[in-house]
Short mmCIF file of all heavy atoms in Angstrom, two decimals:
data_model
loop_
_atom_site.label_atom_id
_atom_site.label_comp_id
_atom_site.label_asym_id
_atom_site.label_seq_id
_atom_site.Cartn_x
_atom_site.Cartn_y
_atom_site.Cartn_z
N MET A 1 15.89 -52.75 -39.61
CA MET A 1 14.87 -53.23 -40.55
C MET A 1 13.59 -52.40 -40.43
O MET A 1 12.99 -52.05 -41.44
CB MET A 1 14.63 -54.71 -40.27
CG MET A 1 13.59 -55.32 -41.15
SD MET A 1 14.19 -55.49 -42.82
CE MET A 1 12.92 -56.46 -43.51
N ASN A 2 13.19 -52.09 -39.20
CA ASN A 2 11.96 -51.31 -39.00
C ASN A 2 12.08 -49.91 -39.60
O ASN A 2 11.10 -49.40 -40.15
CB ASN A 2 11.62 -51.22 -37.52
CG ASN A 2 11.26 -52.56 -36.93
OD1 ASN A 2 10.88 -53.48 -37.66
ND2 ASN A 2 11.37 -52.70 -35.63
N ILE A 3 13.25 -49.32 -39.48
CA ILE A 3 13.45 -47.98 -40.03
C ILE A 3 13.32 -48.01 -41.55
O ILE A 3 12.71 -47.12 -42.15
CB ILE A 3 14.79 -47.40 -39.57
CG1 ILE A 3 14.78 -47.19 -38.06
CG2 ILE A 3 15.11 -46.12 -40.30
CD1 ILE A 3 16.11 -46.81 -37.47
N LEU A 4 13.88 -49.05 -42.17
CA LEU A 4 13.79 -49.19 -43.61
C LEU A 4 12.33 -49.35 -44.06
O LEU A 4 11.89 -48.72 -45.02
CB LEU A 4 14.61 -50.38 -44.09
CG LEU A 4 14.55 -50.69 -45.58
CD1 LEU A 4 15.17 -49.55 -46.37
CD2 LEU A 4 15.23 -52.00 -45.87
N ILE A 5 11.57 -50.17 -43.33
CA ILE A 5 10.16 -50.37 -43.67
C ILE A 5 9.40 -49.06 -43.56
O ILE A 5 8.58 -48.71 -44.42
CB ILE A 5 9.52 -51.44 -42.76
CG1 ILE A 5 10.18 -52.80 -42.99
CG2 ILE A 5 8.02 -51.52 -42.94
CD1 ILE A 5 9.87 -53.42 -44.32
N ARG A 6 9.66 -48.29 -42.51
CA ARG A 6 8.99 -46.99 -42.34
C ARG A 6 9.33 -46.02 -43.46
O ARG A 6 8.47 -45.31 -43.97
CB ARG A 6 9.32 -46.38 -40.99
CG ARG A 6 8.71 -47.13 -39.84
CD ARG A 6 9.08 -46.50 -38.50
NE ARG A 6 8.69 -47.35 -37.41
CZ ARG A 6 7.46 -47.39 -36.91
NH1 ARG A 6 6.53 -46.61 -37.41
NH2 ARG A 6 7.17 -48.20 -35.91
N GLN A 7 10.60 -45.99 -43.86
CA GLN A 7 11.02 -45.10 -44.93
C GLN A 7 10.37 -45.51 -46.25
O GLN A 7 9.92 -44.64 -47.02
CB GLN A 7 12.54 -45.10 -45.06
CG GLN A 7 13.25 -44.34 -43.98
CD GLN A 7 12.94 -42.87 -44.01
OE1 GLN A 7 12.79 -42.26 -45.07
NE2 GLN A 7 12.82 -42.26 -42.85
N VAL A 8 10.32 -46.80 -46.53
CA VAL A 8 9.67 -47.28 -47.75
C VAL A 8 8.20 -46.90 -47.74
O VAL A 8 7.64 -46.45 -48.74
CB VAL A 8 9.87 -48.81 -47.90
CG1 VAL A 8 8.95 -49.39 -48.98
CG2 VAL A 8 11.30 -49.13 -48.21
N HIS A 9 7.57 -47.05 -46.59
CA HIS A 9 6.15 -46.70 -46.47
C HIS A 9 5.92 -45.21 -46.73
O HIS A 9 4.99 -44.83 -47.43
CB HIS A 9 5.63 -47.08 -45.08
CG HIS A 9 4.16 -47.00 -44.94
ND1 HIS A 9 3.30 -47.94 -45.45
CD2 HIS A 9 3.38 -46.07 -44.34
CE1 HIS A 9 2.06 -47.59 -45.17
NE2 HIS A 9 2.08 -46.46 -44.50
N ARG A 10 6.78 -44.37 -46.17
CA ARG A 10 6.64 -42.93 -46.38
C ARG A 10 6.84 -42.54 -47.84
O ARG A 10 6.06 -41.75 -48.38
CB ARG A 10 7.66 -42.17 -45.51
CG ARG A 10 7.30 -42.19 -44.05
CD ARG A 10 8.32 -41.44 -43.24
NE ARG A 10 8.04 -41.63 -41.82
CZ ARG A 10 8.97 -41.86 -40.92
NH1 ARG A 10 10.23 -41.89 -41.28
NH2 ARG A 10 8.65 -42.04 -39.67
N TRP A 11 7.89 -43.08 -48.46
CA TRP A 11 8.16 -42.71 -49.85
C TRP A 11 7.11 -43.26 -50.79
O TRP A 11 6.75 -42.60 -51.77
CB TRP A 11 9.56 -43.17 -50.25
CG TRP A 11 10.60 -42.22 -49.72
CD1 TRP A 11 11.43 -42.43 -48.66
CD2 TRP A 11 10.88 -40.91 -50.22
NE1 TRP A 11 12.22 -41.32 -48.48
CE2 TRP A 11 11.91 -40.37 -49.41
CE3 TRP A 11 10.37 -40.13 -51.25
CZ2 TRP A 11 12.43 -39.11 -49.61
CZ3 TRP A 11 10.89 -38.86 -51.45
CH2 TRP A 11 11.91 -38.36 -50.64
N THR A 12 6.61 -44.45 -50.53
CA THR A 12 5.54 -44.97 -51.40
C THR A 12 4.25 -44.18 -51.25
O THR A 12 3.48 -44.10 -52.19
CB THR A 12 5.27 -46.47 -51.17
OG1 THR A 12 4.98 -46.68 -49.80
CG2 THR A 12 6.44 -47.30 -51.60
N SER A 13 4.03 -43.60 -50.07
CA SER A 13 2.84 -42.75 -49.92
C SER A 13 2.97 -41.50 -50.78
O SER A 13 1.99 -41.03 -51.37
CB SER A 13 2.62 -42.38 -48.46
OG SER A 13 3.66 -41.54 -47.99
N ILE A 14 4.19 -40.96 -50.90
CA ILE A 14 4.41 -39.80 -51.77
C ILE A 14 4.20 -40.18 -53.23
O ILE A 14 3.54 -39.46 -54.00
CB ILE A 14 5.82 -39.22 -51.53
CG1 ILE A 14 5.91 -38.63 -50.13
CG2 ILE A 14 6.16 -38.17 -52.59
CD1 ILE A 14 7.30 -38.25 -49.70
N VAL A 15 4.76 -41.33 -53.63
CA VAL A 15 4.60 -41.80 -55.00
C VAL A 15 3.13 -42.08 -55.31
O VAL A 15 2.63 -41.73 -56.38
CB VAL A 15 5.46 -43.05 -55.25
CG1 VAL A 15 5.17 -43.68 -56.60
CG2 VAL A 15 6.94 -42.71 -55.13
N PHE A 16 2.43 -42.70 -54.37
CA PHE A 16 1.01 -42.99 -54.55
C PHE A 16 0.19 -41.71 -54.72
O PHE A 16 -0.65 -41.60 -55.61
CB PHE A 16 0.47 -43.79 -53.36
CG PHE A 16 -1.01 -44.00 -53.40
CD1 PHE A 16 -1.57 -44.91 -54.29
CD2 PHE A 16 -1.85 -43.29 -52.55
CE1 PHE A 16 -2.94 -45.10 -54.32
CE2 PHE A 16 -3.21 -43.48 -52.58
CZ PHE A 16 -3.76 -44.40 -53.47
N THR A 17 0.46 -40.71 -53.89
CA THR A 17 -0.26 -39.44 -53.97
C THR A 17 0.00 -38.77 -55.32
O THR A 17 -0.94 -38.26 -55.96
CB THR A 17 0.16 -38.51 -52.82
OG1 THR A 17 -0.09 -39.18 -51.58
CG2 THR A 17 -0.62 -37.22 -52.85
N ALA A 18 1.25 -38.77 -55.76
CA ALA A 18 1.57 -38.18 -57.06
C ALA A 18 0.89 -38.93 -58.20
O ALA A 18 0.39 -38.30 -59.16
CB ALA A 18 3.08 -38.17 -57.28
N ALA A 19 0.80 -40.25 -58.11
CA ALA A 19 0.14 -41.04 -59.16
C ALA A 19 -1.36 -40.76 -59.20
O ALA A 19 -1.95 -40.69 -60.27
CB ALA A 19 0.41 -42.53 -58.93
N VAL A 20 -1.97 -40.59 -58.03
CA VAL A 20 -3.40 -40.28 -58.00
C VAL A 20 -3.67 -38.89 -58.58
O VAL A 20 -4.62 -38.70 -59.35
CB VAL A 20 -3.95 -40.41 -56.56
CG1 VAL A 20 -5.37 -39.86 -56.45
CG2 VAL A 20 -3.92 -41.87 -56.11
N ILE A 21 -2.83 -37.93 -58.23
CA ILE A 21 -3.00 -36.58 -58.78
C ILE A 21 -2.82 -36.61 -60.30
O ILE A 21 -3.62 -36.00 -61.04
CB ILE A 21 -2.00 -35.61 -58.11
CG1 ILE A 21 -2.41 -35.38 -56.66
CG2 ILE A 21 -1.93 -34.29 -58.87
CD1 ILE A 21 -1.38 -34.64 -55.84
N ALA A 22 -1.81 -37.32 -60.78
CA ALA A 22 -1.60 -37.44 -62.22
C ALA A 22 -2.79 -38.12 -62.89
O ALA A 22 -3.17 -37.76 -64.01
CB ALA A 22 -0.32 -38.22 -62.50
N ASN A 23 -3.38 -39.07 -62.21
CA ASN A 23 -4.56 -39.76 -62.73
C ASN A 23 -5.72 -38.79 -62.91
O ASN A 23 -6.40 -38.79 -63.95
CB ASN A 23 -4.94 -40.89 -61.78
CG ASN A 23 -5.76 -41.97 -62.43
OD1 ASN A 23 -6.34 -41.77 -63.48
ND2 ASN A 23 -5.80 -43.12 -61.78
N PHE A 24 -5.97 -37.95 -61.91
CA PHE A 24 -7.06 -36.98 -62.01
C PHE A 24 -6.80 -35.95 -63.10
O PHE A 24 -7.71 -35.55 -63.83
CB PHE A 24 -7.30 -36.30 -60.67
CG PHE A 24 -8.15 -37.10 -59.74
CD1 PHE A 24 -7.60 -37.72 -58.62
CD2 PHE A 24 -9.51 -37.27 -59.97
CE1 PHE A 24 -8.36 -38.46 -57.76
CE2 PHE A 24 -10.29 -38.02 -59.12
CZ PHE A 24 -9.72 -38.62 -58.01
N VAL A 25 -5.55 -35.51 -63.22
CA VAL A 25 -5.19 -34.55 -64.26
C VAL A 25 -5.42 -35.18 -65.64
O VAL A 25 -5.98 -34.56 -66.54
CB VAL A 25 -3.75 -34.06 -64.09
CG1 VAL A 25 -3.28 -33.29 -65.32
CG2 VAL A 25 -3.62 -33.22 -62.84
N ALA A 26 -4.97 -36.42 -65.80
CA ALA A 26 -5.14 -37.09 -67.08
C ALA A 26 -6.61 -37.30 -67.42
O ALA A 26 -7.01 -37.19 -68.59
CB ALA A 26 -4.40 -38.43 -67.06
N MET A 27 -7.42 -37.61 -66.42
CA MET A 27 -8.86 -37.78 -66.67
C MET A 27 -9.52 -36.46 -67.05
O MET A 27 -10.48 -36.44 -67.82
CB MET A 27 -9.55 -38.38 -65.45
CG MET A 27 -9.28 -39.84 -65.25
SD MET A 27 -10.22 -40.46 -63.87
CE MET A 27 -9.68 -42.15 -63.86
N GLY A 28 -9.00 -35.37 -66.52
CA GLY A 28 -9.53 -34.06 -66.87
C GLY A 28 -9.21 -33.65 -68.29
O GLY A 28 -9.91 -32.84 -68.90
N LEU A 29 -8.15 -34.23 -68.85
CA LEU A 29 -7.74 -33.90 -70.21
C LEU A 29 -8.36 -34.80 -71.26
O LEU A 29 -8.14 -34.61 -72.45
CB LEU A 29 -6.20 -33.97 -70.32
CG LEU A 29 -5.44 -32.99 -69.44
CD1 LEU A 29 -3.95 -33.24 -69.54
CD2 LEU A 29 -5.78 -31.55 -69.82
N GLY A 30 -9.07 -35.81 -70.83
CA GLY A 30 -9.67 -36.76 -71.76
C GLY A 30 -9.52 -38.17 -71.28
O GLY A 30 -9.27 -38.42 -70.09
N GLU A 31 -9.65 -39.10 -72.16
CA GLU A 31 -9.52 -40.52 -71.81
C GLU A 31 -8.05 -40.86 -71.59
O GLU A 31 -7.25 -40.82 -72.52
CB GLU A 31 -10.09 -41.39 -72.93
CG GLU A 31 -10.13 -42.85 -72.61
CD GLU A 31 -11.10 -43.21 -71.51
OE1 GLU A 31 -12.10 -42.48 -71.33
OE2 GLU A 31 -10.86 -44.20 -70.81
N PRO A 32 -7.68 -41.21 -70.34
CA PRO A 32 -6.27 -41.50 -70.07
C PRO A 32 -5.89 -42.91 -70.53
O PRO A 32 -6.74 -43.81 -70.59
CB PRO A 32 -6.16 -41.39 -68.55
CG PRO A 32 -7.53 -41.73 -68.06
CD PRO A 32 -8.48 -41.23 -69.12
N PRO A 33 -4.62 -43.12 -70.84
CA PRO A 33 -4.18 -44.46 -71.19
C PRO A 33 -4.25 -45.40 -69.98
O PRO A 33 -4.28 -44.93 -68.82
CB PRO A 33 -2.73 -44.28 -71.65
CG PRO A 33 -2.37 -42.88 -71.34
CD PRO A 33 -3.58 -42.13 -70.98
N ALA A 34 -4.27 -46.67 -70.24
CA ALA A 34 -4.43 -47.65 -69.16
C ALA A 34 -3.29 -47.59 -68.13
O ALA A 34 -3.52 -47.75 -66.93
CB ALA A 34 -4.52 -49.06 -69.74
N TRP A 35 -2.07 -47.31 -68.58
CA TRP A 35 -0.96 -47.29 -67.63
C TRP A 35 -1.09 -46.14 -66.63
O TRP A 35 -0.62 -46.26 -65.50
CB TRP A 35 0.39 -47.23 -68.36
CG TRP A 35 0.65 -45.94 -69.11
CD1 TRP A 35 0.34 -45.66 -70.38
CD2 TRP A 35 1.28 -44.77 -68.57
NE1 TRP A 35 0.73 -44.39 -70.71
CE2 TRP A 35 1.32 -43.81 -69.61
CE3 TRP A 35 1.83 -44.44 -67.34
CZ2 TRP A 35 1.85 -42.56 -69.43
CZ3 TRP A 35 2.37 -43.18 -67.17
CH2 TRP A 35 2.40 -42.26 -68.20
N VAL A 36 -1.76 -45.05 -67.03
CA VAL A 36 -1.97 -43.95 -66.09
C VAL A 36 -3.04 -44.33 -65.09
O VAL A 36 -2.92 -44.04 -63.89
CB VAL A 36 -2.38 -42.66 -66.85
CG1 VAL A 36 -2.77 -41.57 -65.88
CG2 VAL A 36 -1.25 -42.20 -67.74
N VAL A 37 -4.07 -45.02 -65.55
CA VAL A 37 -5.17 -45.41 -64.67
C VAL A 37 -4.67 -46.40 -63.61
O VAL A 37 -5.05 -46.30 -62.44
CB VAL A 37 -6.32 -46.03 -65.49
CG1 VAL A 37 -7.39 -46.59 -64.59
CG2 VAL A 37 -6.91 -45.00 -66.43
N TYR A 38 -3.82 -47.34 -64.01
CA TYR A 38 -3.36 -48.36 -63.08
C TYR A 38 -2.04 -48.02 -62.37
O TYR A 38 -1.56 -48.81 -61.57
CB TYR A 38 -3.21 -49.69 -63.81
CG TYR A 38 -4.54 -50.21 -64.32
CD1 TYR A 38 -4.78 -50.36 -65.68
CD2 TYR A 38 -5.57 -50.52 -63.44
CE1 TYR A 38 -5.99 -50.82 -66.15
CE2 TYR A 38 -6.79 -50.97 -63.89
CZ TYR A 38 -6.99 -51.14 -65.25
OH TYR A 38 -8.19 -51.58 -65.70
N SER A 39 -1.48 -46.87 -62.63
CA SER A 39 -0.20 -46.52 -62.02
C SER A 39 -0.24 -46.38 -60.50
O SER A 39 0.78 -46.63 -59.86
CB SER A 39 0.35 -45.23 -62.66
OG SER A 39 -0.50 -44.14 -62.40
N PRO A 40 -1.37 -46.01 -59.85
CA PRO A 40 -1.35 -45.96 -58.39
C PRO A 40 -1.36 -47.33 -57.71
O PRO A 40 -1.07 -47.42 -56.51
CB PRO A 40 -2.65 -45.22 -58.03
CG PRO A 40 -3.05 -44.50 -59.25
CD PRO A 40 -2.55 -45.32 -60.39
N LEU A 41 -1.63 -48.39 -58.44
CA LEU A 41 -1.77 -49.70 -57.79
C LEU A 41 -0.48 -50.28 -57.22
O LEU A 41 -0.50 -50.77 -56.08
CB LEU A 41 -2.45 -50.69 -58.73
CG LEU A 41 -3.91 -50.40 -59.04
CD1 LEU A 41 -4.47 -51.42 -59.98
CD2 LEU A 41 -4.73 -50.32 -57.77
N PRO A 42 0.65 -50.28 -57.92
CA PRO A 42 1.87 -50.85 -57.30
C PRO A 42 2.28 -50.18 -55.99
O PRO A 42 2.52 -50.89 -55.00
CB PRO A 42 2.94 -50.69 -58.39
CG PRO A 42 2.16 -50.66 -59.66
CD PRO A 42 0.87 -49.96 -59.34
N PRO A 43 2.32 -48.84 -55.91
CA PRO A 43 2.67 -48.27 -54.60
C PRO A 43 1.59 -48.54 -53.55
O PRO A 43 1.89 -48.66 -52.36
CB PRO A 43 2.82 -46.77 -54.86
CG PRO A 43 2.32 -46.50 -56.21
CD PRO A 43 2.26 -47.79 -56.94
N LEU A 44 0.35 -48.65 -53.97
CA LEU A 44 -0.71 -48.94 -53.01
C LEU A 44 -0.53 -50.32 -52.41
O LEU A 44 -0.68 -50.50 -51.19
CB LEU A 44 -2.08 -48.82 -53.69
CG LEU A 44 -3.30 -49.07 -52.79
CD1 LEU A 44 -3.37 -48.02 -51.71
CD2 LEU A 44 -4.55 -49.05 -53.64
N PHE A 45 -0.20 -51.32 -53.22
CA PHE A 45 0.02 -52.65 -52.69
C PHE A 45 1.25 -52.69 -51.79
O PHE A 45 1.25 -53.37 -50.75
CB PHE A 45 0.16 -53.67 -53.81
CG PHE A 45 -1.15 -54.02 -54.46
CD1 PHE A 45 -1.32 -53.89 -55.82
CD2 PHE A 45 -2.22 -54.46 -53.70
CE1 PHE A 45 -2.52 -54.19 -56.41
CE2 PHE A 45 -3.44 -54.77 -54.29
CZ PHE A 45 -3.58 -54.64 -55.65
N LEU A 46 2.29 -51.96 -52.15
CA LEU A 46 3.47 -51.90 -51.29
C LEU A 46 3.13 -51.23 -49.97
O LEU A 46 3.59 -51.67 -48.90
CB LEU A 46 4.60 -51.15 -52.00
CG LEU A 46 5.97 -51.22 -51.37
CD1 LEU A 46 6.41 -52.66 -51.17
CD2 LEU A 46 6.97 -50.49 -52.23
N GLN A 47 2.30 -50.21 -50.01
CA GLN A 47 1.85 -49.56 -48.76
C GLN A 47 1.01 -50.51 -47.92
O GLN A 47 1.09 -50.48 -46.69
CB GLN A 47 1.03 -48.32 -49.08
CG GLN A 47 1.85 -47.11 -49.32
CD GLN A 47 0.96 -45.89 -49.37
OE1 GLN A 47 0.09 -45.79 -50.22
NE2 GLN A 47 1.17 -44.99 -48.44
N LEU A 48 0.22 -51.33 -48.56
CA LEU A 48 -0.59 -52.31 -47.83
C LEU A 48 0.30 -53.23 -47.03
O LEU A 48 0.08 -53.43 -45.82
CB LEU A 48 -1.46 -53.12 -48.81
CG LEU A 48 -2.19 -54.31 -48.21
CD1 LEU A 48 -3.31 -53.84 -47.30
CD2 LEU A 48 -2.71 -55.19 -49.31
N PHE A 49 1.34 -53.78 -47.66
CA PHE A 49 2.20 -54.73 -46.97
C PHE A 49 3.05 -54.08 -45.88
O PHE A 49 3.18 -54.60 -44.79
CB PHE A 49 3.07 -55.48 -47.97
CG PHE A 49 2.26 -56.32 -48.91
CD1 PHE A 49 2.42 -56.18 -50.29
CD2 PHE A 49 1.33 -57.23 -48.46
CE1 PHE A 49 1.69 -56.95 -51.17
CE2 PHE A 49 0.58 -57.98 -49.33
CZ PHE A 49 0.75 -57.85 -50.69
N THR A 50 3.61 -52.90 -46.18
CA THR A 50 4.41 -52.23 -45.17
C THR A 50 3.54 -51.73 -44.02
O THR A 50 3.94 -51.77 -42.86
CB THR A 50 5.21 -51.06 -45.78
OG1 THR A 50 4.33 -50.15 -46.42
CG2 THR A 50 6.25 -51.56 -46.75
N GLY A 51 2.33 -51.27 -44.35
CA GLY A 51 1.41 -50.82 -43.30
C GLY A 51 0.96 -51.96 -42.40
O GLY A 51 0.89 -51.80 -41.18
N LEU A 52 0.68 -53.10 -42.98
CA LEU A 52 0.31 -54.27 -42.17
C LEU A 52 1.47 -54.71 -41.29
O LEU A 52 1.27 -55.08 -40.12
CB LEU A 52 -0.16 -55.42 -43.06
CG LEU A 52 -1.53 -55.25 -43.67
CD1 LEU A 52 -1.79 -56.39 -44.67
CD2 LEU A 52 -2.60 -55.21 -42.63
N TYR A 53 2.68 -54.66 -41.83
CA TYR A 53 3.86 -55.01 -41.04
C TYR A 53 4.00 -54.09 -39.84
O TYR A 53 4.20 -54.54 -38.71
CB TYR A 53 5.11 -54.94 -41.92
CG TYR A 53 6.38 -55.17 -41.16
CD1 TYR A 53 6.81 -56.46 -40.87
CD2 TYR A 53 7.18 -54.10 -40.74
CE1 TYR A 53 7.98 -56.68 -40.17
CE2 TYR A 53 8.34 -54.31 -40.04
CZ TYR A 53 8.74 -55.61 -39.76
OH TYR A 53 9.90 -55.81 -39.07
N MET A 54 3.86 -52.78 -40.06
CA MET A 54 3.99 -51.83 -38.96
C MET A 54 2.84 -51.96 -37.97
O MET A 54 3.01 -51.72 -36.78
CB MET A 54 4.07 -50.40 -39.50
CG MET A 54 5.37 -50.12 -40.18
SD MET A 54 5.62 -48.39 -40.59
CE MET A 54 4.27 -48.06 -41.68
N PHE A 55 1.66 -52.35 -38.47
CA PHE A 55 0.52 -52.53 -37.58
C PHE A 55 0.74 -53.71 -36.64
O PHE A 55 0.36 -53.66 -35.47
CB PHE A 55 -0.75 -52.77 -38.42
CG PHE A 55 -1.98 -53.02 -37.60
CD1 PHE A 55 -2.64 -51.98 -36.97
CD2 PHE A 55 -2.47 -54.31 -37.45
CE1 PHE A 55 -3.76 -52.21 -36.21
CE2 PHE A 55 -3.59 -54.55 -36.69
CZ PHE A 55 -4.24 -53.49 -36.07
N VAL A 56 1.38 -54.77 -37.13
CA VAL A 56 1.56 -55.98 -36.33
C VAL A 56 2.75 -55.87 -35.37
O VAL A 56 2.82 -56.61 -34.39
CB VAL A 56 1.71 -57.20 -37.29
CG1 VAL A 56 2.12 -58.45 -36.55
CG2 VAL A 56 0.42 -57.43 -38.04
N LEU A 57 3.68 -54.95 -35.61
CA LEU A 57 4.89 -54.85 -34.79
C LEU A 57 4.63 -54.79 -33.28
O LEU A 57 5.24 -55.54 -32.54
CB LEU A 57 5.71 -53.64 -35.21
CG LEU A 57 6.65 -53.85 -36.39
CD1 LEU A 57 7.37 -52.53 -36.70
CD2 LEU A 57 7.64 -54.93 -36.11
N PRO A 58 3.74 -53.93 -32.80
CA PRO A 58 3.54 -53.89 -31.35
C PRO A 58 2.97 -55.19 -30.79
O PRO A 58 3.33 -55.62 -29.70
CB PRO A 58 2.54 -52.75 -31.12
CG PRO A 58 2.47 -52.01 -32.39
CD PRO A 58 2.99 -52.88 -33.47
N TYR A 59 2.11 -55.84 -31.56
CA TYR A 59 1.53 -57.09 -31.11
C TYR A 59 2.58 -58.20 -31.10
O TYR A 59 2.61 -59.04 -30.20
CB TYR A 59 0.34 -57.49 -31.98
CG TYR A 59 -0.77 -56.46 -31.93
CD1 TYR A 59 -0.98 -55.62 -33.02
CD2 TYR A 59 -1.56 -56.31 -30.81
CE1 TYR A 59 -1.99 -54.66 -32.98
CE2 TYR A 59 -2.56 -55.37 -30.76
CZ TYR A 59 -2.77 -54.55 -31.84
OH TYR A 59 -3.75 -53.61 -31.81
N ALA A 60 3.44 -58.22 -32.11
CA ALA A 60 4.50 -59.22 -32.16
C ALA A 60 5.48 -59.03 -31.00
O ALA A 60 5.94 -60.02 -30.41
CB ALA A 60 5.23 -59.14 -33.50
N ALA A 61 5.78 -57.80 -30.66
CA ALA A 61 6.67 -57.53 -29.53
C ALA A 61 6.02 -58.01 -28.24
O ALA A 61 6.70 -58.57 -27.37
CB ALA A 61 6.99 -56.04 -29.45
N ARG A 62 4.74 -57.82 -28.11
CA ARG A 62 4.03 -58.27 -26.92
C ARG A 62 4.02 -59.80 -26.85
O ARG A 62 4.17 -60.38 -25.77
CB ARG A 62 2.60 -57.72 -26.93
CG ARG A 62 1.99 -57.70 -25.57
CD ARG A 62 0.65 -57.00 -25.54
NE ARG A 62 0.76 -55.64 -26.06
CZ ARG A 62 -0.23 -54.98 -26.61
NH1 ARG A 62 -1.42 -55.53 -26.72
NH2 ARG A 62 -0.07 -53.76 -27.07
N TRP A 63 3.84 -60.46 -28.01
CA TRP A 63 3.83 -61.92 -28.03
C TRP A 63 5.19 -62.49 -27.66
O TRP A 63 5.29 -63.54 -27.05
CB TRP A 63 3.41 -62.44 -29.39
CG TRP A 63 1.99 -62.15 -29.76
CD1 TRP A 63 0.93 -62.02 -28.93
CD2 TRP A 63 1.49 -61.90 -31.07
NE1 TRP A 63 -0.21 -61.73 -29.63
CE2 TRP A 63 0.10 -61.64 -30.95
CE3 TRP A 63 2.07 -61.88 -32.35
CZ2 TRP A 63 -0.70 -61.38 -32.03
CZ3 TRP A 63 1.26 -61.61 -33.42
CH2 TRP A 63 -0.11 -61.36 -33.26
N ARG A 64 6.25 -61.78 -28.08
CA ARG A 64 7.61 -62.24 -27.77
C ARG A 64 8.03 -61.86 -26.35
O ARG A 64 9.08 -62.25 -25.90
CB ARG A 64 8.59 -61.63 -28.75
CG ARG A 64 8.46 -62.23 -30.15
CD ARG A 64 9.59 -61.75 -31.04
NE ARG A 64 9.76 -60.31 -31.01
CZ ARG A 64 9.53 -59.50 -32.03
NH1 ARG A 64 9.11 -60.00 -33.17
NH2 ARG A 64 9.70 -58.20 -31.94
N GLY A 65 7.22 -61.02 -25.67
CA GLY A 65 7.54 -60.62 -24.32
C GLY A 65 8.44 -59.42 -24.24
O GLY A 65 8.99 -59.12 -23.19
N GLU A 66 8.60 -58.67 -25.33
CA GLU A 66 9.42 -57.47 -25.34
C GLU A 66 8.55 -56.24 -25.08
O GLU A 66 7.39 -56.21 -25.42
CB GLU A 66 10.10 -57.30 -26.70
CG GLU A 66 10.99 -58.44 -27.08
CD GLU A 66 11.48 -58.32 -28.52
OE1 GLU A 66 11.19 -57.30 -29.16
OE2 GLU A 66 12.13 -59.25 -28.98
N GLY A 67 9.15 -55.25 -24.48
CA GLY A 67 8.45 -53.97 -24.30
C GLY A 67 7.38 -54.03 -23.23
O GLY A 67 7.26 -55.01 -22.49
N ARG A 68 6.62 -52.96 -23.15
CA ARG A 68 5.56 -52.88 -22.15
C ARG A 68 4.33 -53.62 -22.65
O ARG A 68 4.01 -53.62 -23.81
CB ARG A 68 5.16 -51.43 -21.89
CG ARG A 68 6.19 -50.66 -21.14
CD ARG A 68 5.66 -49.35 -20.73
NE ARG A 68 5.21 -48.62 -21.93
CZ ARG A 68 4.60 -47.47 -21.90
NH1 ARG A 68 4.36 -46.88 -20.78
NH2 ARG A 68 4.21 -46.87 -23.01
N THR A 69 3.62 -54.18 -21.74
CA THR A 69 2.31 -54.75 -22.05
C THR A 69 1.25 -53.91 -21.39
O THR A 69 1.54 -53.09 -20.52
CB THR A 69 2.20 -56.22 -21.58
OG1 THR A 69 2.41 -56.26 -20.17
CG2 THR A 69 3.20 -57.10 -22.31
N VAL A 70 0.02 -54.08 -21.74
CA VAL A 70 -1.06 -53.28 -21.19
C VAL A 70 -1.17 -53.57 -19.69
O VAL A 70 -1.21 -54.71 -19.27
CB VAL A 70 -2.39 -53.61 -21.92
CG1 VAL A 70 -3.55 -52.85 -21.29
CG2 VAL A 70 -2.25 -53.30 -23.40
N GLY A 71 -1.25 -52.51 -18.90
CA GLY A 71 -1.42 -52.65 -17.46
C GLY A 71 -0.13 -52.71 -16.68
O GLY A 71 -0.14 -52.87 -15.49
N GLN A 72 1.01 -52.60 -17.31
CA GLN A 72 2.29 -52.63 -16.61
C GLN A 72 2.99 -51.29 -16.71
O GLN A 72 4.13 -51.20 -17.12
CB GLN A 72 3.19 -53.73 -17.19
CG GLN A 72 2.72 -55.11 -16.91
CD GLN A 72 3.72 -56.12 -17.43
OE1 GLN A 72 4.60 -55.81 -18.20
NE2 GLN A 72 3.58 -57.35 -16.96
N GLU A 73 2.32 -50.26 -16.31
CA GLU A 73 2.95 -48.93 -16.39
C GLU A 73 3.44 -48.49 -15.06
O GLU A 73 3.06 -48.82 -14.04
CB GLU A 73 1.95 -47.91 -16.97
CG GLU A 73 1.61 -48.26 -18.37
CD GLU A 73 0.68 -47.24 -19.01
OE1 GLU A 73 0.55 -46.13 -18.45
OE2 GLU A 73 0.09 -47.55 -20.03
#
């Protein structure tokens, strides 16, 4: 499950970056349509949730008693 979350996070970062670049290109050509302006938002929200999940993983493992804890090296 963790590997899948990491892969989704990586691929959505690529999609997000491409959407932002397309947004800047469209703005340079004139007034962009609304769907171009808002196109970076879905991958951004998906990155938010996957990023928060990955951020909490070490703390959750520590709460469950798995893995190393601070000071036990």
Side-chain angles (χ1 to χ4, degrees):
M1 179 71 170
N2 293 340
I3 294 172
L4 177 65
I5 295 291
R6 290 180 190 278
Q7 286 295 324
V8 167
H9 190 77
R10 287 181 188 137
W11 281 104
T12 55
S13 67
I14 293 169
V15 172
F16 173 74
T17 303
V20 170
I21 291 170
N23 202 342
F24 278 108
V25 169
M27 285 184 182
L29 298 175
E31 186 67 28
W35 68 270
V36 173
V37 173
Y38 295 117
S39 64
L41 292 180
L44 182 63
F45 285 125
L46 191 55
Q47 276 190 298
L48 171 70
F49 296 126
T50 57
L52 286 174
Y53 175 81
M54 289 189 299
F55 178 77
V56 171
L57 276 179
Y59 299 106
R62 201 173 304 155
W63 293 329
R64 289 188 309 247
E66 300 172 5
R68 289 189 303 175
T69 59
V70 176
Q72 291 184 346
E73 295 183 16

